Amino acid sequence: MGIRITPSILNANLADLSAEIARIPSADAVHLDVMDNRFVPNLTFGLPMVESVRAGTDKALDIHLMIAEVDRWAPGYAEAGAESVTFHIEASDAPVKLARELRALGARAAMALRPATPIEPYADLLGELDMVLLMTVEPGFGGQSFLDVVLPKLRRTRALLDAHGGDIWLQVDGGISPQTIERCVEAGADTFVAGSAVFSAEDPDAMVRSLKATAVRAAER
Ligand code: DX5
Ligand code: ZN
């Protein structure tokens, strides 16, 4: 199983993202949190910022859209050259159409679920997706505590993905740290967003490498 660390820059210096991205060369992708103060009670940045980041780095961009009316806005991020675009299922009216559009534009299509949203109603959508993101905090802010209540859903999602076959990544986001990453690996996650754990560390890249090593060890058990 491949293990990927995709740090979130939400708790980094948003005014100098190129410099922050340069601090994490070991990251498999950069996770960019787009918030609109409607889907979540917080506001970050939108497409113009992502276009600037795209122009300044070759790192893969993993866009996490926490926005309302996501069907309307998500394709623009794929057009801007993001490698992966994640929409919340709670915000999408036509997720199959949206996932197909994202793929047609050359991006990986990913579906995110808030902590209390069940995976089972969406099992038939898996063939349209390249990644499922299970939020392990309520979306909106960095630095929150990991919600263990999501672990049973993580296990059930892993079982659905294994039954489906193919190579659909399973990402977790929220409260991921050296203290919580192993239980996520054990429950079946393979792709890990970490925001405050990485950017509050003295050496962010060392933290990325350490999280990865911990996860790889846990996956081998
Ligand atoms: C929260 C965002 C996360 C956030 C994670 O809604 O989606 O990506 O940056 O931050 P930590 O790792 O601090 O929980
Ligand atoms: Zn995120």
Side-chain angles (χ1 to χ4, degrees):
M1 175 162 84
I3 296 283
R4 288 160 289 269
I5 309 291
T6 56
S8 159
I9 49 75
L10 187 58
N11 281 32
N13 178 6
L14 294 182
D16 195 356
L17 282 184
S18 299
E20 296 292 51
I21 292 168
R23 293 171 77 199
I24 46 166
S26 303
D28 294 288
V30 184
H31 179 88
L32 299 178
D33 291 298
V34 176
M35 305 186 190
D36 66 350
N37 204 25
R38 291 178 63 199
F39 183 72
V40 289
N42 195 6
L43 185 66
T44 55
F45 48 79
L47 186 55
M49 176 79 107
V50 171
E51 287 170 340
S52 305
V53 172
R54 174 73 296 165
T57 182
D58 293 331
K59 247 291 153 245
L61 300 182
D62 172 34
I63 311 296
H64 179 192
L65 298 173
M66 286 161 276
I67 59 174
E69 294 175 48
V70 69
D71 300 25
R72 176 173 166 198
W73 301 110
Y77 292 83
E79 279 164 10
E83 278 75 3
S84 177
V85 178
T86 301
F87 58 87
H88 268 267
I89 192 67
E90 303 91 347
S92 175
D93 292 325
V96 173
K97 177 167 175 274
L98 177 54
R100 288 182 182 181
E101 253 180 281
L102 294 172
R103 282 177 157 182
L105 290 166
R108 295 173 60 87
M111 171 181 79
L113 273 58
R114 301 179 74 122
T117 303
I119 184 69
E120 285 76 10
Y122 308 109
D124 288 343
L125 267 54
L126 293 180
E128 308 289 340
L129 300 169
D130 299 295
M131 184 168 79
V132 173
L133 163 56
L134 298 188
M135 290 305 298
T136 43
V137 298
E138 287 298 343
F141 299 92
Q144 304 180 76
S145 299
F146 180 82
L147 295 174
D148 279 283
V149 71
V150 179
L151 289 172
K153 177 168 68 176
L154 193 50
R155 283 190 200 96
R156 296 198 303 275
T157 306
R158 168 49 60 198
L160 287 172
L161 294 180
D162 287 349
H164 183 272
D167 184 25
I168 306 171
W169 300 353
L170 181 49
Q171 187 178 48
V172 283
D173 180 7
I176 303 302
S177 70
Q179 287 73 44
T180 58
I181 195 165
E182 287 172 277
R183 62 189 102 144
C184 293
V185 174
E186 281 152 17
D190 55 23
T191 306
F192 302 88
V193 180
S196 47
V198 167
F199 281 99
S200 67
E202 200 148 312
D203 181 344
D205 201 55
M207 178 55 75
V208 171
R209 283 179 271 130
S210 157
L211 284 168
K212 192 161 190 167
T214 304
V216 167
R217 269 198 309 275
E220 283 165 359
R221 280 205 285 268

